[in-house]
Amino acid sequence: QVQLVESGGGLVQAGGSLRLSCTASGRTFSMYTMGWFRQAPGKEREFVARISVSGAATYYVDSVKGRFTVSRDNAKNTVYLQMNSLKPEDTAVYYCAADRNPNYSGRRYDYWGQGTQVTVSS
């Protein structure tokens, strides 16, 4: 069992930045594909970004490309989401997720964090 704990959310003005962190329990973090998702009020959960086990490959939803950067530190069991040039439409609860498949490209991850709120004011 893997536990994921997100942190770093908060309130920021449009154009500002936040960095989310997600720390995992266990000793096999480096073997998991890691993803970030978000869910805005009244909307379905949306894929945001994904990073491979080595960190060499990253993928993003079109709406955040060029603004968000996903990275990981396997020595710290942590994945990050650097969010720049934030927009009001980025407001959502952000979740990190882990999958035991090191080459996972789906949306139904094995493990999920509890989420952290990001609010962007205009």
Side-chain angles (χ1 to χ4, degrees):
Q1 188 73 10
V2 173
Q3 291 186 328
L4 304 173
V5 179
E6 301 99 334
S7 61
L11 174 64
V12 64
Q13 289 188 334
S17 299
L18 284 174
R19 188 175 83 154
L20 305 183
S21 300
C22 172
T23 301
S25 63
R27 296 177 289 179
T28 55
F29 174 81
S30 62
M31 299 171 64
Y32 295 149
T33 298
M34 298 298 297
W36 284 97
F37 291 74
R38 64 186 180 186
Q39 187 168 19
K43 295 187 177 181
E44 294 187 353
R45 188 157 55 190
E46 172 190 37
F47 167 80
V48 176
R50 182 175 82 243
I51 187 166
S52 63
V53 294
S54 68
T58 56
Y59 307 88
Y60 300 91
V61 66
D62 285 347
S63 60
V64 308
K65 285 180 180 177
R67 300 189 298 122
F68 290 12
T69 303
V70 60
S71 61
R72 66 190 297 163
D73 185 338
N74 287 338
K76 295 183 178 180
N77 278 16
T78 301
V79 63
Y80 304 97
L81 186 67
Q82 177 67 45
M83 305 185 295
N84 299 328
S85 302
L86 282 161
K87 304 175 181 180
E89 51 264 43
D90 294 318
T91 295
V93 177
Y94 283 72
Y95 299 89
C96 73
D99 198 89
R100 291 168 290 181
N101 182 341
N103 298 303
Y104 192 62
S105 60
R107 299 291 184 263
R108 301 181 72 174
Y109 282 60
D110 292 323
Y111 306 106
W112 293 83
Q114 83 290 347
T116 186
Q117 177 70 47
V118 171
T119 303
V120 185
S121 63
S122 56

